[in-house]
Amino acid sequence: ADHGLSDTTLSTIAKAAGLSQGTLVFYFKSKEALLTEAFRSQMEQYRAFWTAAVSSAGPNPIDRTIALTFAAIDPKVMTPQNLVLWNSLWNKTSSNPGLIELSRQYETGRLGVQLSLLKETLKSASDRSWTPKTAAHTLETMTEGIWVRVHYSPDYITIRDARKALGTVLSLIFPSRAEEIMRRAADCSKR
């Protein structure tokens, strides 16, 4: 976050961690190996966060879908440091086969949960314009876009406004719960 990925070396990492470079190299043979473990750690923290949000939402699949969606842009997750780190890591992911695979594993897991919940909630919907796949892809694309926008253009959209926008989309998917969803979007934006 302080130096950017390209200007960060094992030496700068060792210094920031209060370690000798030799100690760091003992555990991580290269900057790429350290990057992979940092990425894995961030993905695990994020997975634990959204998993807890889904678990605490109760048994109703709509409540669980809403919790999963809002967890993606929770202010506790979208800290300035996480925004810098994630956007740096995503940039690096496209050129690193190990990070591509790690990213695929975690994204597949989250998307799988989301698709499963949406299949359960949308199977009885009278409005067939939303399929589980289109709803999941819409929500995922929106949340990923929000992460990029809030990081690169914080004056363009705030987390509060992003949550309202995401709440609007959730309200279109679940119109019978629109009022509650928008209240939750506003409540979450105060955290």
Side-chain angles (χ1 to χ4, degrees):
D2 291 341
H3 303 284
L5 285 178
S6 58
D7 290 337
T8 300
T9 63
L10 286 176
S11 176
T12 58
I13 294 167
K15 184 177 178 181
L19 300 171
S20 71
Q21 190 169 346
T23 301
L24 186 64
V25 171
F26 178 78
Y27 292 100
F28 302 102
K29 302 299 180 215
S30 67
K31 182 171 125 177
E32 295 302 315
L34 179 62
L35 178 63
T36 299
E37 288 310 310
F39 187 74
R40 183 187 321 275
S41 174
Q42 284 297 113
M43 292 299 272
E44 275 301 315
Q45 288 176 32
Y46 179 52
R47 187 190 62 72
F49 186 81
W50 66 255
T51 300
V54 170
S55 295
S56 66
N60 183 299
I62 293 176
D63 292 334
R64 294 167 70 88
T65 301
I66 294 166
L68 176 62
T69 303
F70 281 128
I73 59 169
D74 191 288
K76 293 176 202 147
V77 173
M78 290 186 74
T79 64
Q81 184 176 2
N82 277 349
L83 287 167
V84 168
L85 183 60
W86 274 112
N87 283 290
S88 295
L89 287 171
W90 283 126
N91 237 357
K92 190 72 171 163
T93 300
S94 63
S95 63
N96 183 312
L99 294 181
I100 290 170
E101 178 56 25
L102 260 179
S103 177
R104 187 196 63 72
Q105 289 172 11
Y106 282 100
E107 286 178 3
T108 301
R110 186 175 188 284
L111 186 59
V113 169
Q114 191 170 53
L115 276 170
S116 175
L117 290 169
L118 286 163
K119 284 178 184 174
E120 199 172 337
T121 60
L122 295 175
K123 68 182 172 190
S124 62
S126 57
D127 177 10
R128 297 285 181 202
S129 59
W130 289 101
T131 66
K133 188 174 181 178
T134 58
H137 287 187
T138 299
L139 294 171
E140 286 294 304
T141 300
M142 226 182 136
T143 56
E144 287 177 13
I146 287 168
W147 270 81
V148 171
R149 269 299 194 174
V150 169
H151 175 62
Y152 290 110
S153 310
D155 294 335
Y156 177 81
I157 190 166
T158 64
I159 294 174
R160 173 177 287 174
D161 292 336
R163 294 185 75 82
K164 288 179 185 174
L166 195 52
T168 300
V169 172
L170 279 167
S171 295
L172 293 171
I173 297 170
F174 305 114
S176 66
R177 305 278 297 272
E179 189 175 314
E180 173 196 341
I181 290 168
M182 293 310 293
R183 190 172 42 253
R184 178 147 184 203
D187 289 345
C188 290
S189 68
K190 293 175 187 171
R191 288 186 197 163

